[in-house]
Amino acid sequence: MNLEILLPILLPLIVGLAVGIVKPSYDKRNKIIIATTMINFFLVLYILIFKTNKILHLIKINEFLDLYLYPDKTGIIFAILVSSLWIFTTFYSIDYMGEKNNLSKFFMFFLITEGITLGIAFSGNLITLYLFYELLTLSTFPLVIEKGSELALNAGKKYLIYSFCGATMVLFGVILLFSQTQNLSFIPGGIVGSLVYGNKDIFLMVYLLLFLGFGVKAALVPFHSWLPSAMVAPTPVSSLLHAVAVVKSGIFALGRMTYYVLGWKVIEFTEGNKYTLVLVLLTILMGSFLAMHQENLKRRLAYSTISQLGYIMLALVIFDSSSYVGGMLHMLFHATIKITLFFCVGAIMHYENKTELHEIAGIGKKMPKTMISFTVASICLIGIPPTNGFVSKWFLAIGGLEQGSYLVPIILLLSAFFTAGYLIPVISTAFFKGNPAQEVEISEPNNFMLVPIILLASINVILGFFPNAIIDTIQLAADKLF
Amino acid sequence: MDRLLLFILLFPTITTAISFFIGKNHETARNAINILSTFINLVVVIYLYKYIKTGTLSFQISYVMGTGLNLKLDAFRYVFVLITSFIWFIVNIYSSQYLFNYIHRNRYHFFFMVTYISTLGIFISENIINLFTFFEIMSFSSYPLIIHDEDDEAHAAGWTYMSMAVAGGMILLMGIFILYSYTQVLNITQISYILPKLGSIKYVISGLLIIGFGIKAGLVPFHIWLPKAHPAAPTPASAILSGILVKTGIFGILITVIFLMNFDTYLSFAMLIFGFINIFTGGILALYPINIKKTLAYSTMSQMGYLFLGIGLIGLLKDHGYLAVYGTMFHIFNHAIFKVMLFMGVGIIYMITHELDINKLYGFGRFKPILKITFFIGFCAIIGLPGFNGYLSKTLIHHSLSEYLHHFSDFTRITVEILFTLGSSITTAYLLKLYISLFVEDNSRYYASYRKHINKRALFPMVISSFIIIYVGINPSIFQNYFFNIYDIFYIGNESIHQIHFYTFGNLLSSFSTIALGIVIYIKYVLPKLRMKKEGHLDYVDKTSNWVSLENNIYIPVSRILFNSSTFILKIFDNLFLKTAYFVSHSIKYASNVEFQSYVNPLDKLESVSHNLYETFKEKNENKKSNKGKSIKSNFEEKILNNKKKDHYNFQELEDKIKDYKIKSKENIKSNINKTVETSKSLKAKKDAAKKLKDNNNYTTIKKDFEETKYKMNSITYSIYIIGFVIVVVLLALIIFNS
């Protein structure tokens, strides 16, 4: 029995519930949480080495409701990304949330979310994915409304409604799909195959429903409004949810749907990707353009996330091996970059209580290491070589050109220009504005916050200089699909 | 020995990192380390000469940075590398003295060295992605140098510079993307075999590359950052900006037009035209400014015009372009030296007086011999006086121009000659204005000697540059002797290489006549027309402030229009879903309140009873509701009026008020019918009240609260309407697809 596959999912769930019920003291709780996330990471590595491509059946009620876990290469890459970034966020949130006593509920849902995200990563078929997807909404909702203020409650309500509407569309699509194929498992190349000939419209319907439904979680325009509103959550939640757990789960589910369930040849036959390409390009442009208008730093980064997710979705609507490599690379690189940016902004919010752009003038002299990491991460995001953002952008643009579309590189570069437009003012205000002759003493954040920030920033630069290992791995996966 | 190529990049990186960390506490040590490392780099570069005399050096590391690192050094690139190392060495010595009473010295020196490393990297890159990498690093690391003073002028200059640099980088990248998708190779030599054979797409590619590099080189109409960035930056930064950084753009254009496109005729002809446009635009615009650094900035733009001219001639003359190659490369070398020297002279003036206004500085240098002599040498070099190095390169370019015009009609030849002469004489005119105003006029304020203010360290670089200028001027064939194998790189046939006689009667005559014409322009136009009497002295005025400014009248309005229209369109998409849902639910809610007429019915009695109950119930709610509505509305107005006096808006109070309202309303309102038209009216009233007082209210938080309270509806209603909408749309779609 491959019961070990269930372990990385169950361990955080159980420990989370225990933390929530027992409510240990501050020190004990920290130790338990750090230990759990680290053990989880090693469990995922264990599954990588020993248990790839092994099935674990959970429950089978009938042909439709057949839940099983099946970690394959894509899923394990996602799981490694999730579990490693969870460790950084744990350290960060221990310092950020402070020593308040009623935080057990927060950390309970924090750990439960990790388990559920890993469940999404390891799902073997579409119905299991849907189950964990719904559970993800439920388990992240208390994290969003953690502050308890009126604004937070409204944001949470909006988040719930958007997610459940999306999930409804997904369910409808799943039912339609099952009615045609009697099968919902993930197979490279898709399970539809030749069924599409003659039923083009139904499969177009299925594709659009599933794309829009999963797209809600992945912040596709026009279903993106929950993301800027959800920024009322505390920063560890915003950074993790909006860089790793929720939005990347949406993208991951979209990837599964495109390449493993429907298959790209089917989608190309039904010409559904032309409609979704329009939405994706609109997402890219709108996100980066409107980010320039936001004064609140976290909202700025939220719109930036919307735009960057559009980049990854380009991999899913342009069927070319270069853009697939670019999209997968961007999924990994964007997670680390965005987490760094959010951590820096969160450190400013926590230690200086400054949330708007005009308030942080001259803060680079007070928190130099934090703001230098922010600068490094912004340069990675804009896509300046030799950083990792350039590598993924290169592959995406080349893929677009190979498919004969000049619009894709133009929009990518336009969006990169806007990215510079909303990130460079932040850097410039932080370092070069404010009273230059004033002597300020350096008060950096605590080590629990500072070390993750610096580590993540350096990982970004290192990945930019030596990305070849990762590129080769993903290229292998791409060759199998195309 | 190929590893030395990596050495000249890695060694300064390591020393810069060390010097940055110790620079916070030990300033002299940091300056010493920086100067020493640039000196060692210069020595290594000079040592590398013996290798490129006979062949080329190359160095590669694959599997780094995605596409690998590919470095190459041949005689052509060596000119650029040599002037970079030399200029950085002397400006480093100069800036250690110049910045002694500035703040943020550590930051300045760090970015100074990073710019040095990236500029070297540009000149030795063979892989076009490496070139782009170093190009972007150079753009970004020169930004803190420009913004160093952190005042408003510096920030405006930095904003213009950065937006043009990033836009240029993106255009360049677009060109590289299309290039790669057609050629699938990234090395310059390999591209040059494939690119000229493509169809007309090659003009799109090279057009994008030329625009991308041209923004850095000051090609009209992308030159607008030059006159803003030079006055705002500290003088050593302006010196390297003018001396070397614009040369990176020239380098890129040269590679594109000559090597990648293989001496393409159309592009070279375009470069010829652009060259003349630049010479004249830069020259004419340089006659007017009051800020002396701005004059020098426009002068750079004008001299770049000569280089564009030279590049065009290299492309047009192909294997007979011996003079064009010689002239262009020589002028690159000369211009770097004398422009940096002029900037350093101006910098010394600024160091002493902290003034850049020509009307306040007149007569400054009249009794300062060393400054006067060195500045005079630079002045003679740039106007092309025989005996100095500028004369040599300008004569060469002039000759190659006439060689190209051989097979044109006499009329064309004479017109172009006149244009060329006119361009050169305008150079004389504006520099004469600068020199005479600074060093010849009489001003009693500056009679004292400021010897004790100027250290040897600041004058030493200027003296060295002047020696080089004179030495090269006197030995004209020195450049040719050292760099003779450049011609092989440009495929110049051996038969066209011949000895040039610089000091012939014809050349001397044309040079002197150009200078004479310049003096005439100065006397006839600049002196009478550009001066006005102010406080007993003829001051210069800037007449261009009434002209059309390219930046303010074209770039900024166009971008503003684009920005605002895109904002409008994209904001619609931002709120599309939300506003549709709100509109649908609101309209259904409104429709649900319409009352229908009831029939006469035996059940009338029952109905009337229930109707009465409903009325009383409604009345009760109305009373409570109208009170609530009034209290909220008056609360809001009160709050807004209070804030006119208070400075800080109390968000917490408002939150509590809303909470109160919510709790009380929850107790009364149990179902949808209770949201009567009154509530919507009171919301509307709130909105009107807020709109009226909008002008007095600058706090975005209030607006945010309004937005939030607008959407505060019953969650069940909201979700039912949205799900219903979705189901209706899906059903419609199914019907359409299945019919």
Side-chain angles (χ1 to χ4, degrees):
Chain A
M1 275 296 275
N2 302 317
L3 216 52
E4 294 93 340
I5 301 178
L6 199 53
L7 267 180
I9 302 174
L10 270 189
L11 177 66
L13 277 170
I14 295 176
V15 174
L17 281 170
V19 164
I21 295 175
V22 170
K23 297 198 210 310
S25 66
Y26 176 68
D27 292 317
K28 278 209 198 108
R29 182 183 70 209
N30 290 346
K31 290 197 186 96
I32 295 175
I33 298 170
I34 294 177
T36 316
T37 41
M38 291 215 174
I39 295 176
N40 223 22
F41 178 64
F42 288 114
L43 282 175
V44 172
L45 280 180
Y46 170 78
I47 292 186
L48 164 70
I49 300 172
F50 291 109
K51 295 281 175 190
T52 319
N53 296 325
K54 301 256 168 54
I55 300 187
L56 170 66
H57 283 274
L58 290 176
I59 306 175
K60 183 165 175 163
I61 300 181
N62 58 17
E63 274 300 320
F64 181 59
L65 289 174
D66 179 14
L67 306 174
Y68 61 92
L69 299 174
Y70 179 61
D72 61 350
K73 236 192 171 68
T74 327
I76 295 214
I77 293 179
F78 185 56
I80 292 181
L81 175 75
V82 165
S83 44
S84 52
L85 287 176
W86 224 278
I87 301 179
F88 288 110
T89 317
T90 312
F91 280 103
Y92 186 84
S93 54
I94 289 176
D95 188 20
Y96 189 91
M97 305 306 291
E99 296 201 25
K100 291 185 276 201
N101 272 332
N102 52 353
L103 284 175
S104 309
K105 199 171 59 170
F106 175 81
F107 282 107
M108 167 168 87
F109 284 107
F110 191 70
L111 287 175
I112 291 178
T113 314
E114 174 171 16
I116 296 179
T117 318
L118 287 173
I120 291 184
F122 289 151
S123 308
N125 62 355
L126 206 50
I127 196 72
T128 324
L129 185 73
Y130 174 73
L131 168 74
F132 280 113
Y133 199 75
E134 294 267 44
L135 285 175
L136 185 66
T137 311
L138 286 175
S139 76
T140 48
F141 173 68
L143 293 174
V144 171
I145 63 171
E146 196 270 339
K147 251 190 208 147
S149 67
E150 195 61 33
L151 218 54
L153 288 172
N154 278 328
K157 184 168 71 180
K158 206 171 175 183
Y159 174 59
L160 266 187
I161 294 173
Y162 268 90
S163 299
F164 280 134
C165 292
T168 312
M169 285 203 271
V170 168
L171 187 59
F172 193 23
V174 164
I175 293 174
L176 267 184
L177 182 67
F178 184 77
S179 73
Q180 294 292 316
T181 62
Q182 308 298 322
N183 183 12
L184 288 173
S185 44
F186 293 143
I187 297 177
I191 54 175
V192 175
S194 53
L195 280 170
V196 74
Y197 303 119
N199 279 332
K200 184 168 149 183
D201 292 327
I202 285 239
F203 283 104
L204 177 65
M205 188 85 236
V206 166
Y207 172 66
L208 285 177
L209 276 173
L210 286 175
F211 197 90
L212 294 177
F214 284 127
V216 168
K217 263 270 196 333
L220 184 69
V221 166
F223 308 115
H224 64 283
S225 304
W226 62 272
L227 196 52
S229 309
M231 286 296 144
V232 292
T235 310
V237 173
S238 306
S239 66
L240 197 58
L241 262 51
H242 307 310
V244 179
V246 173
V247 291
K248 289 280 164 24
S249 308
I251 300 271
F252 181 73
L254 277 173
R256 285 287 203 205
M257 182 263 296
T258 314
Y259 289 109
Y260 291 85
V261 174
L262 286 178
W264 64 273
K265 296 203 177 90
V266 168
I267 301 176
E268 214 172 20
F269 180 73
T270 59
E271 292 178 8
N273 61 339
K274 292 207 176 79
Y275 306 118
T276 46
L277 180 65
V278 171
L279 280 178
V280 166
L281 290 176
L282 182 63
T283 311
I284 296 177
L285 271 183
M286 194 211 82
S288 46
F289 192 80
L290 284 181
M292 293 198 277
H293 288 266
Q294 308 295 325
E295 272 287 307
N296 188 327
L297 288 170
K298 276 175 82 174
R299 277 181 81 101
R300 204 171 256 236
L301 292 177
Y303 276 99
S304 158
T305 307
I306 295 174
S307 153
Q308 299 292 319
L309 290 173
Y311 283 45
I312 310 177
M313 285 197 262
L314 266 183
L316 306 171
V317 293
I318 298 177
F319 301 121
D320 185 275
S321 88
S322 299
S323 56
Y324 179 79
V325 171
M328 289 299 115
L329 280 177
H330 205 65
M331 189 170 91
L332 302 173
F333 294 154
H334 170 253
T336 47
I337 296 175
K338 215 17 110 39
I339 270 195
T340 319
L341 290 173
F342 266 110
F343 279 1
C344 296
V345 169
I348 298 178
M349 273 177 63
H350 184 72
Y351 280 91
E352 306 284 329
N353 264 332
K354 296 190 175 152
T355 55
E356 312 289 313
L357 179 60
H358 55 267
E359 292 172 359
I360 63 166
I363 212 169
K365 300 184 181 67
K366 202 163 182 196
M367 309 168 102
K369 288 187 196 142
T370 319
M371 290 316 290
I372 290 178
S373 314
F374 187 90
T375 313
V376 168
S378 328
I379 295 196
C380 296
L381 197 62
I382 299 175
I384 307 289
T387 58
N388 48 3
F390 177 71
V391 177
S392 51
K393 228 171 276 239
W394 170 262
F395 280 104
L396 279 171
I398 294 296
L401 277 176
E402 274 172 19
Q403 289 296 313
S405 150
Y406 281 98
L407 197 58
V408 168
I410 291 179
I411 290 196
L412 274 179
L413 289 174
L414 209 57
S415 167
F417 184 64
F418 294 145
T419 310
Y422 63 74
L423 283 175
I424 292 187
V426 179
I427 305 174
S428 163
T429 317
F431 280 113
F432 301 120
K433 295 229 169 115
N435 198 351
Q438 193 182 31
E439 272 292 319
V440 278
E441 60 167 78
I442 298 182
S443 70
E444 292 276 7
N446 201 355
N447 265 342
F448 267 62
M449 266 200 208
L450 192 59
V451 172
I453 294 178
I454 296 186
L455 270 180
L456 283 167
S458 16
I459 287 178
N460 284 328
V461 179
I462 294 174
L463 280 175
F465 272 101
F466 306 108
N468 290 72
I470 304 184
I471 296 179
D472 291 333
T473 327
I474 300 183
Q475 189 79 50
L476 281 173
D479 291 332
K480 260 189 249 159
L481 284 174
F482 288 92
Chain B
M1 280 307 116
D2 308 339
R3 288 175 199 269
L4 279 180
L5 282 180
L6 191 63
F7 175 82
I8 56 174
L9 286 181
L10 272 186
F11 174 70
T13 323
I14 302 174
T15 52
T16 314
I18 298 176
S19 72
F20 178 67
F21 282 115
I22 71 167
K24 293 200 180 108
N25 303 320
H26 307 287
E27 299 248 357
T28 24
R30 172 200 68 214
N31 288 343
I33 290 183
N34 276 343
I35 295 178
L36 200 62
S37 82
T38 40
F39 182 67
I40 292 180
N41 243 25
L42 180 62
V43 166
V44 171
V45 166
I46 295 180
Y47 173 70
L48 283 173
Y49 172 72
K50 70 177 204 213
Y51 292 101
I52 58 108
K53 209 158 65 155
T54 46
T56 66
L57 282 175
S58 34
F59 181 79
Q60 290 182 28
I61 311 179
S62 325
Y63 297 123
V64 188
M65 303 206 278
T67 48
L69 188 66
N70 196 346
L71 304 173
K72 179 170 142 183
L73 187 62
D74 54 21
F76 156 65
R77 292 158 188 262
Y78 187 75
V79 178
F80 290 98
V81 171
L82 182 65
I83 53 169
T84 310
S85 320
F86 177 69
I87 298 286
W88 240 273
F89 170 59
I90 56 177
V91 177
N92 221 346
I93 302 179
Y94 180 82
S95 51
S96 62
Q97 158 80 38
Y98 183 88
L99 288 170
F100 79 98
N101 58 355
Y102 271 69
I103 47 175
H104 300 135
R105 287 184 292 281
N106 214 19
R107 175 178 91 189
Y108 174 86
H109 277 102
F110 175 70
F111 283 108
F112 193 71
M113 295 302 286
V114 171
T115 317
Y116 172 50
I117 299 166
S118 43
T119 319
L120 272 182
I122 295 177
F123 292 134
I124 59 178
S125 299
E126 168 71 0
N127 182 329
I128 210 165
I129 296 287
N130 294 142
L131 200 139
F132 179 70
T133 309
F134 287 119
F135 196 78
E136 291 294 296
I137 298 178
M138 175 201 73
S139 297
F140 275 82
S141 65
S142 42
Y143 176 68
L145 297 178
I146 292 179
I147 251 196
H148 190 254
D149 288 338
E150 292 184 16
D151 53 10
D152 289 334
E153 187 198 358
H155 274 296
W159 190 88
T160 314
Y161 176 74
M162 207 52 183
S163 37
M164 299 228 71
V166 172
M170 294 301 146
I171 296 176
L172 193 56
L173 192 57
M174 186 70 199
I176 295 180
F177 280 150
I178 306 181
L179 180 67
Y180 181 72
S181 83
Y182 274 88
T183 60
Q184 301 291 320
V185 287
L186 287 172
N187 288 330
I188 294 181
T189 7
Q190 287 172 320
I191 296 176
S192 63
Y193 297 140
I194 306 180
L195 187 62
K197 302 198 183 90
L198 298 174
S200 48
I201 193 77
K202 64 182 179 178
Y203 289 111
V204 174
I205 296 175
S206 41
L208 287 170
L209 290 176
I210 288 178
I211 294 179
F213 284 119
I215 289 183
K216 206 42 164 229
L219 194 64
V220 170
F222 307 116
H223 63 280
I224 54 171
W225 61 273
L226 267 173
K228 285 178 95 165
H230 281 96
T235 310
S238 308
I240 53 165
L241 201 58
S242 242
I244 309 290
L245 293 190
V246 293
K247 299 289 180 350
T248 61
I250 299 278
F251 177 74
I253 294 183
L254 219 158
I255 296 244
T256 312
V257 173
I258 307 296
F259 293 117
L260 290 182
M261 291 292 284
N262 205 23
F263 298 84
D264 187 274
T265 323
Y266 293 114
L267 286 179
S268 315
F269 194 73
M271 278 289 111
L272 200 73
I273 309 283
F274 276 119
F276 272 111
I277 296 178
N278 252 52
I279 295 177
F280 278 103
T281 323
I284 293 176
L285 284 173
L287 287 170
Y288 298 97
I290 313 275
N291 188 328
I292 48 182
K293 272 201 206 166
K294 212 168 179 185
T295 318
L296 290 176
Y298 280 120
S299 158
T300 303
M301 202 181 119
S302 180
Q303 298 297 313
M304 289 303 112
Y306 283 102
L307 289 176
F308 291 137
L309 197 60
I311 294 177
L313 287 170
I314 298 178
L316 287 169
L317 289 172
K318 302 198 205 311
D319 356 337
H320 306 290
Y322 161 67
L323 286 173
V325 172
Y326 190 4
T328 315
M329 299 309 292
F330 204 5
H331 197 66
I332 291 174
F333 180 80
N334 290 337
H335 176 258
I337 297 194
F338 56 62
K339 194 38 81 56
V340 168
M341 204 178 86
L342 285 175
F343 265 107
M344 288 200 284
V346 165
I348 290 184
I349 299 178
Y350 183 75
M351 242 200 304
I352 299 176
T353 60
H354 283 279
E355 273 292 341
L356 285 174
D357 190 334
I358 203 175
N359 295 323
K360 298 202 178 69
L361 287 173
Y362 67 91
F364 176 82
R366 194 179 164 96
F367 296 109
K368 296 173 178 53
I370 300 185
L371 191 64
K372 192 169 180 179
I373 293 178
T374 46
F375 204 90
F376 185 69
I377 292 176
F379 163 68
C380 294
I382 194 173
I383 64 174
L385 195 66
F388 299 87
N389 60 358
Y391 165 70
L392 306 170
S393 44
K394 285 216 177 143
T395 318
L396 286 169
I397 295 184
H398 196 176
H399 267 279
S400 61
L401 186 61
S402 22
E403 190 176 321
Y404 172 64
L405 292 170
H406 250 292
H407 14 269
F408 283 79
S409 65
D410 275 339
F411 173 70
T412 332
R413 220 179 316 154
I414 295 181
T415 334
V416 174
E417 286 275 343
I418 294 180
L419 281 176
F420 189 84
T421 318
L422 197 61
S424 309
S425 34
I426 296 182
T427 314
T428 316
Y430 62 72
L431 275 164
L432 204 57
K433 162 187 168 186
L434 206 61
Y435 182 74
I436 290 192
S437 170
L438 286 175
F439 291 95
V440 174
E441 289 202 24
D442 207 348
N443 190 351
S444 49
R445 276 174 68 191
Y446 296 116
Y447 278 169
S449 163
Y450 288 80
R451 227 10 182 333
K452 50 187 185 311
H453 287 262
I454 312 180
N455 209 341
K456 274 198 238 5
R457 269 188 284 164
L459 281 176
F460 167 71
M462 294 188 64
V463 172
I464 289 197
S465 312
S466 2
F467 271 128
I468 294 183
I469 292 176
I470 300 183
Y471 184 68
V472 172
I474 300 179
N475 301 332
S477 3
I478 198 171
F479 192 79
Q480 167 130 329
N481 295 340
Y482 278 112
F483 295 112
F484 54 86
N485 56 343
I486 294 185
Y487 307 116
D488 293 331
I489 301 175
F490 283 94
Y491 309 115
I492 306 289
N494 271 324
E495 64 276 359
S496 50
I497 300 181
H498 51 272
Q499 193 66 7
I500 308 282
H501 299 287
F502 286 101
Y503 292 99
T504 64
F505 180 69
N507 295 337
L508 288 171
L509 179 67
S510 74
S511 164
F512 278 123
S513 54
T514 315
I515 295 179
L517 183 59
I519 298 178
V520 165
I521 296 179
Y522 174 68
I523 296 178
K524 286 289 178 193
Y525 180 66
V526 175
L527 277 184
K529 295 283 171 61
L530 292 182
R531 306 207 293 180
M532 267 176 23
K533 201 121 186 147
K534 274 187 192 146
E535 296 163 12
H537 176 257
L538 285 169
D539 278 351
Y540 282 101
V541 283
D542 186 355
K543 290 210 166 158
T544 58
S545 38
N546 295 331
W547 293 4
V548 172
S549 154
L550 189 61
E551 179 182 8
N552 290 335
N553 294 33
I554 299 184
Y555 277 111
I556 291 192
V558 168
S559 18
R560 197 161 280 169
I561 293 175
L562 285 174
F563 189 74
N564 288 338
S565 49
S566 325
T567 312
F568 178 70
I569 297 176
L570 290 174
K571 274 214 162 133
I572 294 177
F573 282 106
D574 192 18
N575 293 325
L576 179 69
F577 196 58
L578 215 52
K579 289 222 157 122
T580 324
Y582 177 66
F583 172 70
V584 165
S585 77
H586 190 71
S587 46
I588 293 182
K589 200 169 53 180
Y590 179 74
S592 72
N593 288 320
V594 172
E595 297 200 0
F596 293 100
Q597 196 149 31
S598 52
Y599 298 139
V600 176
N601 206 300
L603 295 169
D604 242 341
K605 181 98 183 186
L606 197 62
E607 246 200 63
S608 64
V609 165
S610 65
H611 193 69
N612 278 336
L613 276 175
Y614 173 66
E615 289 278 4
T616 44
F617 185 59
K618 204 166 107 177
E619 246 181 321
K620 245 201 278 177
N621 280 338
E622 260 186 41
N623 285 336
K624 291 193 184 162
K625 186 78 60 299
S626 51
N627 279 339
K628 291 292 173 284
K630 267 198 211 126
S631 70
I632 289 298
K633 180 174 160 185
S634 60
N635 262 341
F636 262 114
E637 281 184 349
E638 210 183 336
K639 276 264 167 287
I640 291 168
L641 283 171
N642 277 343
N643 277 326
K644 278 202 269 185
K645 305 165 197 165
K646 264 196 275 183
D647 272 341
H648 179 61
Y649 182 61
N650 197 343
F651 182 74
Q652 194 56 37
E653 251 183 293
L654 177 64
E655 227 181 26
D656 291 338
K657 290 270 185 234
I658 296 180
K659 232 186 220 169
D660 270 355
Y661 169 60
K662 250 223 144 198
I663 293 172
K664 286 182 194 152
S665 71
K666 264 188 194 144
E667 289 164 16
N668 290 328
I669 301 174
K670 297 251 182 199
S671 71
N672 288 348
I673 308 174
N674 289 331
K675 288 246 194 286
T676 57
V677 186
E678 270 89 357
T679 338
S680 61
K681 270 197 193 148
S682 70
L683 274 174
K684 225 181 166 188
K686 270 187 257 172
K687 199 165 103 178
D688 290 333
K691 253 195 196 147
K692 256 187 262 172
L693 300 159
K694 202 169 162 187
D695 297 321
N696 303 328
N697 201 347
N698 288 331
Y699 304 115
T700 54
T701 45
I702 297 186
K703 191 174 168 191
K704 242 193 289 179
D705 292 330
F706 261 116
E707 307 284 325
E708 294 301 330
T709 52
K710 249 202 283 185
Y711 297 137
K712 222 191 294 282
M713 292 178 279
N714 197 317
S715 352
I716 305 176
T717 334
Y718 198 129
S719 10
I720 289 179
Y721 290 139
I722 292 186
I723 294 180
F725 177 69
V726 165
I727 292 180
V728 164
V729 164
V730 164
L731 284 173
L732 279 174
L734 269 176
I735 295 172
I736 293 175
F737 276 119
N738 277 336
S739 63

